[in-house]
């Protein structure tokens, strides 16, 4: 089995190496998938419930889907081959006949019939070397009745002209149908436009080649899925004459984009109809229409740099716009989609310099939005409401250069009643300048509308502003930027001693700090991280051990310094196996599991109590050294309830029996004696 898989993998690699064009690569992949059914058999994927078939590529083969719809695998003769009764596969090459006869055997018998009517038969049976893009039988059936009647009622002229437009006076294989090429047709040399996409789809005037490379004695036939018509107008001309695009026409003119739409190119325009513009709030629309920069960004967001016919899309693909950001162009069954929404109402309005697809909704890029609009289009609805209730709407809708720190919805806990302190807090989530997260650096200070200075902390895997870390890419608006953050800011309200004294959980710790003579240290304007034991942590110790420790300033200092380090580590800066240097000299093992920080297997009860000279993380157990050969994965915390109970029991042991912890205390005592000497 492994040998077979290896052989198939090698064959697929060789396919990519030797394929001469994207279509040939897909065709060869289909051959490989079909070869178990005999020679020259191609695997085809047919969208379930339809007659649409595709040669298969790797992605489609494994997903068994095209345009989000399930497919069934069929096996057919590859182009140019046929079955022989009683033999496996398609061993026989099709006999070469002229183009007229070829039409009858490749599913284009209606084209053959109309060739008779238009007196084209002699030409395509006779000498020459032609390429015929022949509409399939279903393509003719799909034509509106009035158009088909108009063609066949004047068989001497209109039908002949239409068929000649499907022909080129030279043989062109699929390999020679290069992306973006044009060829003169046999109808007044009017050009036909070829696109050969990287996914193997080939189109002529946006009609897909469904049976390419059907060779004939006097040329080649490519069966296509629709009847094509001559193109004479550029995109601007199409927009000029369509009343449904009147608002778009005015907008293009105001933005100075008319010349581009008249010039040569291969663009794709997603054209919002008048109704699409009317769905936008009048105030928003007037603001954008009156702002040349925002208007140009908005319109360029509707234009792709390359031409994409509807039939070229078989799955969601990010595509770059002229505005510079990406649109996801995809499909859902027969419907094209934009950013996952089926808003395209009409496709493939072909122009000489591109293609137009009509859409029923206006696409507004971030670069044309106010801060409020950025927030409303993101997953920060709670923050948006709080900013508005705090009376900050003028800042969110104006032209100030600002940066909003918008917490995710689940960052808000408890009551969200708007109070003066909450109003002040929300104003401190808006910075006084427009920033890029990529330009922030460690130690940087950022001023808020509320007058506070917020600190920036850069870690290996996170970028944090105070306790809040950036959780998504920047959203850059017209004048301002939005950073989505994972927490509500808790700006520092004092130094470490101030914070500890104001919290009833740290009464014993404050007394211990004073006993150990460390008050002055923790009042200094340095930067500390303190894993601060709560009263519960001290109460968990045997009483005689606690009393002995609290009476010994030297040992108490050693214990506290084992919980303290001279660096700033917010919870967002902790990753698996983070090591933290303490003032005592040893290192703590930190980890993160289920959004909880663990330090030497002790869970942090509350993280990120911010202070002007550091940060406090509350722990409900005294932290002790880990055994020398600890499995460091366990530093992320216990993985099962039983282990949690065991850890809890271990935490209640006294210092007298903890040799490792005693070693830390002895080490600290030795250092103190050495300093005195």
């Amino acid at each position: 089995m492994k040998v077979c898989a290896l052989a198939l993998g090698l064959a697929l690699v060789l396919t990519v190496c030797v394929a001469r064009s994207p279509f040939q690569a897909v065709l060869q992949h289909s051959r490989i998938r079909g070869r178990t059914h005999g020679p020259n058999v191609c695997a085809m994927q047919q969208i379930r419930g339809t007659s649409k078939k595709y040669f298969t590529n790797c992605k489609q083969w494994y997903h068994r889907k095209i345009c989000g719809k399930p497919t069934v695998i069929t096996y057919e003769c590859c182009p140019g081959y046929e079955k022989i009764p009683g033999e496996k596969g398609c061993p026989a090459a099709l006999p070469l006949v002229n183009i007229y006869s070829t039409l009858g055997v490749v599913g284009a018998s209606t084209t053959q019939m109309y060739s008779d009517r238009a007196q084209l038969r002699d030409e395509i049976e006779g000498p020459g070397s032609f390429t015929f893009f022949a509409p399939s039988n279903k393509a003719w059936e799909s034509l509106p009745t009035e158009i088909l009647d108009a063609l066949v009622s004047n068989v001497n002229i209109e039908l002949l002209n239409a068929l000649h437009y499907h022909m080129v006076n030279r043989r062109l294989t699929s390999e020679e149908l290069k992306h973006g090429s044009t060829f003169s047709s046999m109808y007044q040399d009017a050009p036909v436009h070829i696109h050969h996409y990287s996914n193997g789809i080939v189109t002529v005037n946006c009609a897909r080649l469904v049976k390419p490379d059907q060779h004939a004695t006097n040329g080649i036939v490519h069966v296509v899925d629709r009847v094509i018509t001559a193109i004479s107008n550029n995109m601007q001309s199409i927009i000029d004459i369509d009343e449904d695009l009147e608002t778009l026409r005015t907008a293009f003119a105001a933005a100075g984009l008319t010349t581009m739409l008249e010039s040569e190119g291969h663009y794709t325009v997603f054209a919002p109809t008048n109704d699409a513009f009317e769905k936008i709030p009048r105030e928003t629309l007037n603001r954008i229409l009156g702002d040349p920069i925002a208007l140009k960004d908005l319109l360029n967001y509707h234009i792709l740099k390359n031409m994409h016919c509807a039939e070229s899309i078989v799955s969601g693909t990010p595509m770059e716009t002229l505005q510079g950001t990406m649109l996801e162009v995809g499909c859902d069954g027969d419907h094209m989609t934009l950013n996952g929404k089926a808003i395209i109402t009409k496709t493939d309005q072909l122009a000489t310099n591109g293609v137009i697809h009509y859409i029923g909704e206006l696409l507004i890029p971030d670069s044309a939005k106010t801060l409020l609009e950025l927030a409303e289009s993101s997953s920060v609805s709670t923050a948006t409401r709080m900013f508005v209730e705090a009376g900050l709407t003028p800042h969110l809708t104006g032209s100030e250069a600002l940066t909003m720190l918008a917490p995710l919805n689940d960052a808000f806990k408890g009551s969200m009643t708007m109070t003066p302190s909450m109003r002040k807090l929300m104003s401190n989530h808006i910075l006084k300048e427009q920033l890029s997260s990529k330009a922030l650096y460690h130690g940087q200070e950022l001023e808020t509308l509320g007058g506070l200075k917020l600190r920036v902390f850069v870690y290996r895997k996170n970028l944090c502003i105070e306790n809040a870390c950036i959780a998504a890419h920047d959203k850059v608006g017209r004048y301002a930027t939005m950073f989505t953050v994972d927490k509500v800011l808790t700006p520092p309200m004092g130094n470490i001693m101030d914070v500890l004294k104001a919290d009833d959980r740290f009464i014993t710790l404050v007394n211990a700090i004073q006993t150990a003579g460390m008050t002055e240290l923790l009042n200094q304007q340095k930067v500390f991280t303190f894993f601060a034991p709560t009263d519960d942590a001290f109460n968990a110790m045997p009483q005689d051990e606690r009393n002995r420790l609290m009476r010994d300033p030297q040992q108490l200092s050693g214990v506290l310094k084992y919980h303290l380090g001279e660096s700033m580590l917010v919870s967002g800066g902790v990753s698996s196996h983070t090591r933290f240097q303490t003032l005592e000299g040893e290192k703590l093992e930190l980890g993160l599991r289920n959004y909880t920080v663990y330090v030497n297997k002790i869970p942090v009860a509350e993280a990120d109590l911010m202070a002007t000279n550091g940060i406090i993380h509350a722990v409900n157990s005294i932290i002790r050294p880990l055994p020398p050969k600890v499995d460091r994965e366990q530093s992320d915390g216990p993985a099962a309830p039983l282990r949690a109970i065991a850890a809890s029991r271990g935490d209640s042991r006294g210092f007298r029996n903890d040799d490792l912890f005693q070693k830390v205390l002895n080490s600290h005592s030795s250092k103190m004696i050495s300093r005195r000497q």
Side-chain angles (χ1 to χ4, degrees), residues 185-252:
S185 74
M186 294 176 64
Y187 169 63
Q188 299 181 355
D189 288 333
V192 291
H193 301 263
I194 305 297
H195 287 86
H196 194 144
Y197 298 95
S198 59
N199 59 9
I201 300 292
V202 184
T203 64
V204 52
N205 287 22
C206 284
R208 180 169 69 95
L209 276 62
V210 293
K211 289 186 179 179
D213 294 335
Q214 306 294 327
H215 289 270
T217 55
N218 58 344
I220 194 168
V221 174
H222 304 291
V223 180
V224 296
D225 67 352
R226 71 180 73 169
V227 178
I228 63 175
T229 55
I231 305 162
S232 57
N233 291 329
N234 59 43
M235 287 193 290
Q236 183 61 44
S237 299
I238 293 174
I239 293 170
D240 282 341
I241 61 179
D242 195 328
E243 293 183 359
D244 282 343
L245 303 179
E246 182 179 357
T247 307
L248 180 64
R249 178 168 63 250
T250 303
F252 273 133

Side-chain angles (χ1 to χ4, degrees), residues 165 180 182 191 193 195 205 230-238 261-267 307 349-356:
Y165 185 64
T182 59
H193 301 263
H195 287 86
N205 287 22
I231 305 162
S232 57
N233 291 329
N234 59 43
M235 287 193 290
Q236 183 61 44
S237 299
I238 293 174
L261 296 173
E262 292 174 337
S263 61
E264 291 185 3
H266 296 277
Y267 301 110
M307 180 172 160
Q349 303 304 297
L350 204 58
T352 56
N353 56 346
V355 65
I356 298 174

Side-chain angles (χ1 to χ4, degrees), residues 20 56 66 115 135 142 158 175 323 402 422 461 610:
R20 294 166 294 182
T56 181
I66 293 175
S115 297
S142 301
E158 298 298 336
E175 184 183 358
Q323 182 259 347
L402 303 171
M422 179 62 77
K461 295 184 178 180
M610 308 304 293

Side-chain angles (χ1 to χ4, degrees), residues 353-547:
N353 56 346
V355 65
I356 298 174
H357 306 296
Y358 289 42
I359 59 175
E361 290 185 17
L362 192 65
L363 307 172
I364 303 180
D366 289 346
S367 60
K369 293 179 180 178
T370 63
L371 259 183
L372 182 60
E373 290 164 352
L374 288 176
E376 289 174 339
S377 62
S378 305
S379 55
V380 292
S381 56
T382 303
T384 305
R385 176 173 59 83
M386 299 300 290
F387 281 123
V388 172
E389 290 180 3
L392 296 168
T393 302
H395 295 290
L396 306 184
T397 57
S399 57
E400 296 173 86
L402 303 171
T403 300
M404 172 197 287
L405 306 179
L408 293 165
N409 290 337
D410 59 7
F412 290 90
K413 312 293 182 184
S415 173
M416 292 295 108
T417 305
M418 186 52 62
T419 61
S421 60
M422 179 62 77
R423 187 172 291 108
K424 182 75 170 177
L425 177 62
M426 296 312 296
S427 71
N428 284 325
H429 281 74
I430 300 180
L431 307 176
K432 282 187 174 181
E433 56 184 316
Q434 185 176 16
L435 299 165
S436 165
S437 63
K438 293 182 179 179
L440 299 181
Y441 56 89
H442 193 74
Q444 185 177 5
E445 290 190 339
L446 310 173
E447 187 175 358
T448 71
L449 288 182
L452 284 184
K453 293 288 184 67
L454 304 180
R455 297 162 294 182
V456 176
F457 307 113
V458 179
Y459 302 101
R460 185 176 297 278
K461 295 184 178 180
N462 243 337
L463 175 62
C464 306
I465 299 172
E466 294 295 336
N467 61 302
C469 299
I470 294 176
H473 293 297
D474 301 2
K475 295 180 78 68
V476 182
R478 174 64 179 91
Y479 300 103
T481 298
M482 186 182 88
F483 295 166
T484 302
V485 294
D486 62 352
K487 295 182 181 70
V488 177
L489 283 173
T490 53
M493 304 305 293
N495 64 27
I496 285 179
M497 287 305 297
D498 295 331
V499 174
L500 292 175
K501 288 177 180 178
D503 195 321
D504 290 341
R505 293 174 296 176
F506 300 114
I507 294 173
T508 305
L509 177 60
V510 170
N511 291 333
I513 291 169
Q514 293 169 345
T515 300
M518 293 174 59
T519 304
E520 184 178 350
L521 172 68
L522 294 177
N523 278 323
Q524 291 178 7
Q525 286 306 306
K526 294 185 177 181
V527 178
F528 299 103
T529 296
F530 199 174
F531 293 96
T534 62
D535 291 349
D536 289 342
F538 285 100
N539 292 335
M541 298 170 56
Q543 186 173 357
D544 59 336
E545 295 294 332
R546 183 174 67 250
N547 291 341

Side-chain angles (χ1 to χ4, degrees), residues 544-583:
D544 59 336
E545 295 294 332
R546 183 174 67 250
N547 291 341
R548 187 181 305 116
L549 179 66
M550 297 298 286
R551 288 195 300 266
D552 188 337
Q554 186 173 308
Q555 283 202 341
L556 187 56
S557 175
V559 171
L560 296 179
K561 288 184 177 180
Y562 189 66
H563 291 69
L564 182 68
E566 244 184 40
S567 63
M568 188 80 173
L569 183 63
V570 302
S571 61
V574 177
S575 57
S576 295
H577 314 315
T578 300
R579 305 193 77 194
F580 180 75
Q581 180 74 47
T582 68
L583 290 184

